[in-house]
Amino acid sequence: MTNGKKLIVGNWKMNGSAQSNFHLLTQLLRADLRFDVCDTAVCVPSVYLQQVKTQISDQIQGSKGGSIGLGAQDVSAHEEGAYTGEISVSMLREFGVSYVIVGHSERRQFHHETDQLVAIKAKRALGAGMTPIVCVGETSQERESGMTEAVVRRQLAAVIHLNGHCINEIVVAYEPVWAIGTGLTATPEQAQSVHAVLRAQLDAAGAENGRRIRILYGGSMNPANAKTLLSQRDIDGGLVGGASLKAVDFLSIIASA
Ligand code: PEP
């Protein structure tokens, strides 16, 4: 649910090293971020959660309040047990994780994640008090065949169906697959029109009165296009991949919000 502020989330994907993370975060934490107008978070590879958590909490002592939130890029649909390689919500919670991306198109594409699995992951995150960032989006082929609306509605419907009124606590990210990491961005009009569809679906599903679930745009967002995208009526923030790896670009996107 939105508190009226935009939300800008960096998705570092499988990038970085202990050294480069330290430099990137140092630059972000030194910047005079306006936490009164914009929430920010970084979703980092799980092996670096401890490093990033420590660096952020060291900075919080002595700050005026407000800081960068910590997020994960995926979570297991299972609670615990014989699931080699997976990471549970309770493990993420131990690292102070507040956001977890679920259903990123790279997980759907390369790990064959289904709408149903994504819905279960969202439920796990919600049950642990974390905010799932539920990604939806169409491929270029689906867009060309006029299926954009049907695809994103189907993906979101699975999450709504399983999570009922708890959907008030999710964040949705519209990420057209053809725009991710390609340098192609949805036009503000294209993005706004899909966001409006998602907003209507959330409202119809009973998003509580006066509450507004945040819907982020993701897909080659950069300093040049962020301002126009973020000024669209139904765009409440951004999920930023490539540009979140360069402090100057990420800070510029945050400034646009
Ligand atoms: C993403 O992977 O969530 C993303 C939006 O990537 P990029 O900004 O690089 O397109």
Side-chain angles (χ1 to χ4, degrees), residues 11 13 104 106 175 179-182 218-221 239-243:
N11 174 14
K13 311 197 192 198
H104 191 282
E106 288 151 14
E175 298 208 311
I180 296 180
T182 56
S220 299
M221 188 180 266
L239 182 54
V240 186

Side-chain angles (χ1 to χ4, degrees), residues 51-69:
Q51 178 200 7
V52 174
K53 173 181 186 265
T54 305
Q55 201 176 339
I56 291 175
S57 39
D58 284 353
Q59 179 260 357
I60 288 174
Q61 293 153 14
S63 81
K64 314 177 215 83
S67 189
I68 298 174

Side-chain angles (χ1 to χ4, degrees), residues 91-118:
M91 293 170 185
L92 293 181
R93 203 167 42 187
E94 288 206 275
F95 290 93
V97 165
S98 30
Y99 296 96
V100 55
I101 297 173
V102 296
H104 191 282
S105 62
E106 288 151 14
R107 303 277 331 160
R108 292 180 191 261
Q109 187 184 351
F110 303 127
H111 300 270
H112 311 293
E113 294 198 2
T114 61
D115 297 341
Q116 185 58 21
L117 183 73
V118 173

Side-chain angles (χ1 to χ4, degrees), residues 189-210:
E189 296 72 28
Q190 282 174 323
Q192 166 56 32
S193 94
V194 179
H195 279 235
V197 165
L198 296 169
R199 173 88 56 221
Q201 187 178 6
L202 291 167
D203 287 348
E208 284 163 32
N209 250 349

Side-chain angles (χ1 to χ4, degrees), residues 1-238:
M1 182 186 45
T2 180
N3 49 15
K5 300 180 197 172
K6 299 273 190 209
L7 170 64
I8 304 293
V9 180
N11 174 14
W12 290 1
K13 311 197 192 198
M14 197 173 72
N15 292 296
S17 64
Q19 197 185 27
S20 67
N21 299 341
F22 178 80
H23 288 306
L24 176 55
L25 263 180
T26 303
Q27 287 171 274
L28 298 182
L29 293 169
R30 262 195 210 136
D32 198 13
L33 297 176
R34 294 274 315 277
F35 295 110
D36 52 332
V37 288
C38 181
D39 290 329
T40 63
V42 285
C43 295
V44 311
S46 301
V47 289
Y48 295 127
L49 284 170
Q50 179 65 56
Q51 178 200 7
V52 174
K53 173 181 186 265
T54 305
Q55 201 176 339
I56 291 175
S57 39
D58 284 353
Q59 179 260 357
I60 288 174
Q61 293 153 14
S63 81
K64 314 177 215 83
S67 189
I68 298 174
L70 183 57
Q73 299 174 10
D74 183 36
V75 69
S76 178
H78 305 284
E79 205 173 325
E80 64 176 353
Y83 301 101
T84 302
E86 298 214 7
I87 295 173
S88 70
V89 280
S90 56
M91 293 170 185
L92 293 181
R93 203 167 42 187
E94 288 206 275
F95 290 93
V97 165
S98 30
Y99 296 96
V100 55
I101 297 173
V102 296
H104 191 282
S105 62
E106 288 151 14
R107 303 277 331 160
R108 292 180 191 261
Q109 187 184 351
F110 303 127
H111 300 270
H112 311 293
E113 294 198 2
T114 61
D115 297 341
Q116 185 58 21
L117 183 73
V118 173
I120 297 170
K121 289 184 173 196
K123 192 176 171 82
R124 286 265 175 240
L126 288 165
M130 281 174 235
T131 303
I133 301 176
V134 177
C135 299
V136 299
E138 80 289 359
T139 62
S140 58
Q141 207 180 2
E142 288 164 340
R143 174 163 282 269
E144 277 153 26
S145 40
M147 287 165 59
T148 299
E149 192 171 320
V151 169
V152 298
R153 284 178 58 86
R154 188 204 72 220
Q155 291 171 331
L156 184 57
V159 175
I160 292 172
H161 181 70
L162 192 69
N163 290 280
H165 70 276
C166 295
I167 57 150
N168 285 294
E169 307 305 328
I170 71 173
V171 166
V172 176
Y174 168 54
E175 298 208 311
V177 180
W178 49 270
I180 296 180
T182 56
L184 297 172
T185 314
T187 64
E189 296 72 28
Q190 282 174 323
Q192 166 56 32
S193 94
V194 179
H195 279 235
V197 165
L198 296 169
R199 173 88 56 221
Q201 187 178 6
L202 291 167
D203 287 348
E208 284 163 32
N209 250 349
R211 289 172 148 202
R212 178 176 161 110
I213 294 171
R214 289 203 269 211
I215 309 177
L216 316 182
Y217 169 79
S220 299
M221 188 180 266
N222 60 42
N225 60 29
K227 205 175 173 82
T228 346
L229 285 162
L230 292 169
S231 63
Q232 300 302 305
R233 189 161 36 94
D234 288 301
I235 301 188
D236 304 308

